[in-house]
Amino acid sequence: MSTQQTSMMEQPTTPKELHEQSVDMNGLDDIFKWASDIVADGHEDGRVRLAREKRVRKQVLEVIQKSGEDKVLAEANHEINYLQKRVIALLTKLQETIEENSLLKQIMLTQLYSLQQIPIMEAELRELKSIQCEKESAVDERRYLMDGLTKLKVERDYLEGVLTAAETENYRLAKVLRTTREELTASQAKKWWQNLLPWLS
């Protein structure tokens, strides 16, 4: 391999690159010779032939370099596409993680609010229990009052019966008293001796 060929190609930096370059350049001399024979003219001098061989070598090396660059570019594009897919997948996973974190935050806030409401709910529960006890006491009191009211109604009915009987008796006694007064008045109006007439006749 000539110094010009080496200067036109990228210098290898690793043993792997050295091996690949030696493999890629192996047999190029035959290609250069074949290309030179194709375009050779039988009457040309040595300098023209040497210049043509250099030009052919340069063109072949440029084609090889361009092919290598295309290969590297294709591999780079493939790697970029792969990395883009990986980035999209990571962004999707990140979005899912953000949504999960947001949901967890909402759940935590809800639980925190529920925990803060526990004392209030306990106070309300105690108040409800107190109200329930008062309600039960009121129900018992109402039952007791209803029983008392029932007894009062029975006693009232009894008293009404007694009052009716008393009024009837009072009416009878008033009538008797009026009759007795009338008889007493009539007796007082008569002379004492008039009472004896029925006995004398």
Side-chain angles (χ1 to χ4, degrees):
M1 183 183 299
S2 65
T3 305
Q4 183 180 4
Q5 293 172 350
T6 306
S7 62
M8 293 183 62
M9 297 186 64
E10 184 179 355
Q11 293 295 329
T13 57
T14 63
K16 182 179 180 181
E17 291 180 353
L18 287 172
H19 174 71
E20 290 178 353
Q21 179 177 336
S22 63
V23 172
D24 291 339
M25 297 302 292
N26 187 23
L28 287 181
D29 289 337
D30 294 336
I31 296 175
F32 293 150
K33 185 174 184 303
W34 172 79
S36 179
D37 292 339
I38 291 297
V39 297
D41 186 359
H43 301 290
E44 63 183 358
D45 58 5
R47 288 188 303 172
V48 174
R49 182 180 179 85
L50 182 61
R52 188 181 64 251
E53 289 180 356
K54 288 181 179 180
R55 187 173 64 251
V56 170
R57 286 174 182 270
K58 180 180 179 181
Q59 292 174 352
V60 171
L61 290 174
E62 286 177 352
V63 170
I64 293 173
Q65 184 177 2
K66 182 66 169 57
S67 176
E69 290 175 354
D70 292 340
K71 181 179 179 182
V72 171
L73 182 61
E75 292 177 353
N77 288 332
H78 179 73
E79 185 70 18
I80 290 172
N81 291 332
Y82 172 75
L83 292 176
Q84 286 178 345
K85 292 179 180 178
R86 290 288 297 168
V87 168
I88 292 172
L90 290 174
L91 289 176
T92 303
K93 186 64 177 178
L94 178 61
Q95 183 64 28
E96 292 177 355
T97 304
I98 291 173
E99 292 177 356
E100 290 178 358
N101 289 337
S102 177
L103 181 60
L104 289 175
K105 288 180 180 178
Q106 292 179 359
I107 294 173
M108 291 177 64
L109 289 175
T110 303
Q111 291 178 348
L112 178 61
Y113 176 76
S114 300
L115 290 175
Q116 291 176 348
Q117 294 299 312
I118 288 177
I120 299 174
M121 296 177 68
E122 289 178 347
E124 291 179 353
L125 181 60
R126 288 193 294 268
E127 184 177 358
L128 288 174
K129 287 182 178 179
S130 176
I131 293 173
Q132 182 68 25
C133 292
E134 293 177 358
K135 180 181 178 182
E136 292 176 356
S137 299
V139 170
D140 293 337
E141 184 69 18
R142 184 184 68 178
R143 186 181 298 110
Y144 174 76
L145 292 175
M146 291 297 294
D147 293 340
L149 182 60
T150 302
K151 292 179 181 180
L152 288 175
K153 286 182 178 180
V154 172
E155 293 177 358
R156 185 193 65 181
D157 294 339
Y158 173 75
L159 291 175
E160 285 179 352
V162 172
L163 180 61
T164 301
E167 289 177 351
T168 303
E169 186 65 19
N170 287 338
Y171 176 75
R172 187 184 67 78
L173 292 174
K175 186 176 180 181
V176 171
L177 180 61
R178 185 171 59 251
T179 304
T180 303
R181 284 180 179 175
E182 290 175 355
E183 291 177 353
L184 179 61
T185 302
S187 297
Q188 289 177 352
K190 293 179 180 179
K191 300 296 182 179
W192 64 271
W193 51 267
Q194 290 178 349
N195 293 327
L196 296 175
L197 288 178
W199 297 96
L200 294 177
S201 59

